[in-house]
Amino acid sequence: MAAAAPIVPLPYTPAQVRERLGDDWEASLATAYRWMTLARTLDSRMLALQRQGRVGFYGPATGQEAVNVAAGMLSRPEDWVLPGLREQLVALVRGHALGTYVHHLFADARDPAEGRNMPCHPTAREVHYVSMSSVIGTQISHAVGVAYGMRRRRSPGVALAFFGDGATSANDFHAGLNFAAVYGLPVLFVCTNNQWAISVPVERQTAARSLAAKAAAYGLEGRRVDGTDLIACWGALAGALDRIRGGAPPELLEFVLYRLTPHSSSDDPSRYQPAGWAQRAQASDPYRRLEHWLTEHGLLDAERRTQVTDAAEGAVRSAVAAAEATPPPEARTLTEDVLAPVGSGAASR
Ligand SMILES: Cc1ncc(C[n+]2csc(CCOP(=O)(O)OP(=O)(O)O)c2C)c(N)n1
């Protein structure tokens, strides 16, 4: 196996970071770093637990943390998040409890979905986070519907539709962008181009110059952003959300990044990725790029790094312990809320 490539440094001075993130830039970076550490810890622990047969399925988001943490921190409570496959961190940053999420991963009695949904498909109504749709692309139309509903009710807020590169070939992408553009709806389309749709590389997914370029066909702005650069992600998301909140048309942001782990716990990329692809992609690991910048600028040292890592590991460990001490959902939940009781009349309503 090839050695990991040296990290590509983030090209900013502290003054430039302050300009993009505002006066609270140091606190924002520290918060983002803590969340990204938690996400990384969760991914490696959950993949290991899946391998041990202790959780049924897991889909990591390693490599996509910069977009997720920025979206979580910059979105407002009134916004709605319609995720693709890898935005669970957005729900956590918006306030969904880690413990509840881990109960869901274990599909135990304290899972809000009562074990009915596939693990790693959390629903977090309290933070306006809709359960992911496993049917690729449908969440794009759902987000447009949510935005249409918000417009009709005159309620503030933006619908954030997340999706991968593969989803840009789905019908819902075309229907969603067209409808949102025609009606000028408050929706932000967030494409996380991680280069792969399971085994299909992005260059076989489209003949377009870029995925962002597709926005022009609908009369929308499309921008390509380095999705491994937290500062660039922050700037792009903050700008687009501000414009849309101010009544501007929807936009498409394409975040170029790398899927640094298998598609899911059911995948083996060695069957289709060129040798060394993931090792080369490690040079653009968003977490390591941020860590490197913070260290270079004296905002992170070994002691603080250990504290943050220990805190993340501790939080994940306690959540896992609580889940393992919780029984499975009761048998009655198999039919509750699913089938009407016979003779109740509910079936014919
Ligand atoms: C309509 C539909 N077709 C195929 C699949 C099988 N499938 C599951 S994930 C996936 C790839 C999705 O790739 P992408 O949209 O790039 O998201 P990523 O996995 O890279 O985050 C496919 C084809 C599906 N779930 N739904």
Side-chain angles (χ1 to χ4, degrees):
M1 188 191 279
I7 204 76
V8 178
L10 291 176
Y12 305 100
T13 63
Q16 289 170 328
V17 173
R18 172 186 232 129
E19 200 180 296
R20 287 163 175 80
L21 269 64
D23 289 344
D24 291 339
W25 66 283
E26 285 187 63
S28 298
L29 288 183
T31 304
Y33 178 66
R34 277 200 307 276
W35 280 117
M36 288 166 84
T37 307
L38 179 79
R40 232 357 105 104
T41 308
L42 201 52
D43 274 4
S44 64
R45 186 78 201 278
M46 288 304 149
L47 276 176
L49 289 176
Q50 195 280 337
R51 296 289 181 250
Q52 294 165 20
R54 287 153 77 189
V55 296
F57 172 87
Y58 190 73
T62 301
Q64 306 196 186
E65 298 93 337
V67 183
N68 286 346
V69 77
M73 290 175 72
L74 288 163
S75 56
R76 295 184 184 164
E78 64 267 24
D79 298 335
W80 280 88
V81 178
L82 292 99
L85 305 180
R86 307 178 198 280
E87 285 75 34
Q88 294 83 354
L89 177 60
V90 181
L92 295 175
V93 175
R94 284 173 63 80
H96 187 54
L98 174 66
T100 307
Y101 176 41
V102 174
H103 283 301
H104 160 71
L105 288 167
F106 275 78
D108 66 31
R110 295 177 67 191
D111 168 11
E114 299 186 302
R116 294 185 192 126
N117 214 350
M118 194 170 170
C120 214
H121 291 52
T123 174
R125 183 191 289 257
E126 77 286 4
V127 296
H128 288 195
Y129 182 94
V130 177
S131 175
M132 81 159 86
S133 163
S134 272
V135 186
I136 296 302
T138 48
Q139 76 279 11
I140 301 173
S141 305
H142 300 162
V144 173
V146 168
Y148 191 60
M150 289 196 289
R151 164 70 53 81
R152 282 180 65 98
R153 291 178 182 183
R154 299 184 198 288
S155 49
V158 176
L160 287 91
F162 288 84
F163 49 91
D165 38 291
T168 63
S169 302
N171 292 342
D172 289 88
F173 175 81
H174 307 293
L177 268 75
N178 190 58
F179 194 97
V182 169
Y183 286 89
L185 299 176
V187 48
L188 177 58
F189 298 102
V190 184
C191 176
T192 50
N193 174 6
N194 67 12
Q195 319 291 324
W196 296 94
I198 311 185
S199 56
V200 178
V202 68
E203 57 275 13
R204 289 195 52 211
Q205 191 68 247
T206 182
R209 180 162 50 76
S210 72
L211 301 176
K214 295 188 176 202
Y218 308 99
L220 298 179
E221 282 295 323
R223 292 186 174 77
R224 256 194 147 192
V225 182
D226 180 349
T228 72
D229 172 340
L230 174 71
I231 313 304
C233 293
W234 189 284
L237 285 163
L241 286 168
D242 267 5
R243 288 188 289 275
I244 295 169
R245 287 189 210 294
E251 294 183 23
L252 168 64
L253 295 176
E254 176 193 358
F255 290 97
V256 180
L257 36 83
Y258 303 92
R259 199 190 76 204
L260 298 177
T261 40
H263 170 78
S264 73
S265 52
S266 314
D267 178 41
D268 173 9
S270 71
R271 303 272 301 271
Y272 56 82
Q273 271 181 357
W277 186 91
Q279 283 73 27
R280 286 191 295 279
Q282 299 282 350
S284 298
D285 176 339
Y287 179 62
R288 286 182 61 220
R289 291 188 84 188
L290 177 64
E291 197 170 66
H292 179 268
W293 192 89
L294 293 171
T295 309
E296 289 288 296
H297 292 88
L299 296 168
L300 185 68
D301 58 18
E303 191 187 340
R304 179 76 193 128
R305 213 158 127 166
T306 309
Q307 277 169 3
V308 172
T309 310
D310 286 354
E313 278 171 6
V316 172
R317 199 177 313 114
S318 338
V320 168
E324 292 202 313
T326 305
E330 286 186 39
R332 64 177 169 74
T333 63
L334 279 172
T335 55
E336 222 171 51
D337 305 328
V338 177
L339 302 170
V342 177
S344 70
S348 54
R349 275 208 294 271

